[in-house]
Amino acid sequence: MEPEHLASQLRCPSGDKALEVGISMNKANYNLNRECINLLELNDDNRVLEIGPGNGAFVQEILQEAKGINYVGIDISTALVAEASRLNESQVRKGIAKFECGDSADLPFEAGYFDKVFTVHTLYFWDKPYEHLSEVRRVLKPSGTFCIAFGNREFMKNLPFVKYGFELYDDSSACNLLREVGFNIESVHEFTEHGLSNTGESVDKLVHVIVCKA
């Protein structure tokens, strides 16, 4: 896949490549997703929102973290929302998980609805990040936890597809943005791992995970 096309697919998987891109993202981001789930410290009866769940590959793991968890995933890709609903049909049918097509700059939930919110590798695509983060803060309970994960600017800038619509961050710039919106930074984590990129190449990834409170 050409870099410009890949960038477009990573932003919003669509067409006949959508499901393939979803699977590729699962492989590339497995460890990072697991780190985020661990850092959320999920408790019984938590309401959890994931922004950009793709095909919902990690939903069952989230639901097993504690008793009575209720999960919602919101994604702009209609193809992956449909696939996530299919792959998690049993959980959707039971009413403990659901997937919606939508934009995190305008979340269709009441204020203070969620205990925990997390998102992995979506920050780059937010043209107006203040709007997205303000919405996250609005739907979180006053004591709620937000976990955001993204690749470090110095690592990401060398990837061939990032010049097509990616806004890159380091931990400092991301923390400043979160504070401007009104989040309190709880912890900042840095991980380096050797693995596959979304282009299928073997790379050393430098990623950040920021945990904050509303």
Side-chain angles (χ1 to χ4, degrees):
M1 196 180 299
E2 292 298 316
E4 187 172 4
H5 186 206
L6 177 58
S8 175
Q9 287 291 326
L10 292 174
R11 175 184 285 268
C12 180
S14 60
D16 58 1
K17 291 291 185 181
L19 303 190
E20 178 184 327
V21 170
I23 292 170
S24 175
M25 289 192 294
N26 293 342
K27 293 178 181 177
N29 303 327
Y30 177 80
N31 290 333
L32 186 54
N33 274 275
R34 278 304 323 168
E35 291 291 348
C36 286
I37 293 168
N38 291 337
L39 288 168
L40 284 175
E41 297 182 347
L42 297 171
N43 298 312
D44 292 352
D45 302 317
N46 274 176
R47 290 175 175 170
V48 180
L49 172 65
E50 181 178 7
I51 297 169
N55 65 10
F58 302 97
V59 172
Q60 294 190 42
E61 294 184 35
I62 292 168
L63 294 173
Q64 292 170 0
E65 285 289 308
K67 297 178 181 178
I69 289 178
N70 190 279
Y71 168 95
V72 178
I74 189 164
D75 204 294
I76 61 173
S77 170
T78 56
L80 290 190
V81 166
E83 180 69 355
S85 298
R86 185 188 70 82
L87 292 175
N88 296 278
E89 181 182 3
S90 175
Q91 289 73 28
V92 171
R93 190 170 58 252
K94 293 174 183 176
I96 58 175
K98 69 175 179 177
F99 300 89
E100 297 190 14
C101 191
D103 188 344
S104 54
D106 186 20
L107 292 169
F109 310 107
E110 63 187 48
Y113 186 78
F114 292 99
D115 300 280
K116 309 287 173 70
V117 178
F118 78 107
T119 188
V120 175
H121 289 315
T122 59
L123 176 60
Y124 331 106
F125 305 120
W126 294 348
D127 297 328
K128 297 179 179 179
Y130 190 94
E131 293 182 3
H132 294 260
L133 293 172
S134 294
E135 275 291 272
V136 170
R137 187 168 181 267
R138 181 184 67 82
V139 301
L140 266 176
K141 292 181 179 179
S143 58
T145 300
F146 177 44
C147 182
I148 183 167
F150 56 95
N152 175 271
R153 176 189 287 136
E154 290 303 306
F155 154 62
M156 293 282 290
K157 71 179 184 180
N158 297 316
L159 299 176
F161 50 82
V162 298
K163 62 182 179 181
Y164 301 105
F166 282 65
E167 183 68 32
L168 303 182
Y169 297 82
D170 56 24
D171 54 347
S172 178
S173 60
C175 282
N176 288 339
L177 180 59
L178 288 160
R179 291 190 183 101
E180 287 176 13
V181 177
F183 282 102
N184 294 314
I185 307 300
E186 292 280 300
S187 58
V188 180
H189 306 263
E190 181 177 295
F191 301 98
T192 302
E193 65 173 0
H194 188 77
L196 294 178
S197 72
N198 284 298
T199 60
E201 298 172 307
S202 184
V203 294
D204 289 317
K205 305 177 188 179
L206 177 60
V207 296
H208 301 294
V209 181
I210 301 174
V211 181
C212 48
K213 295 286 187 180

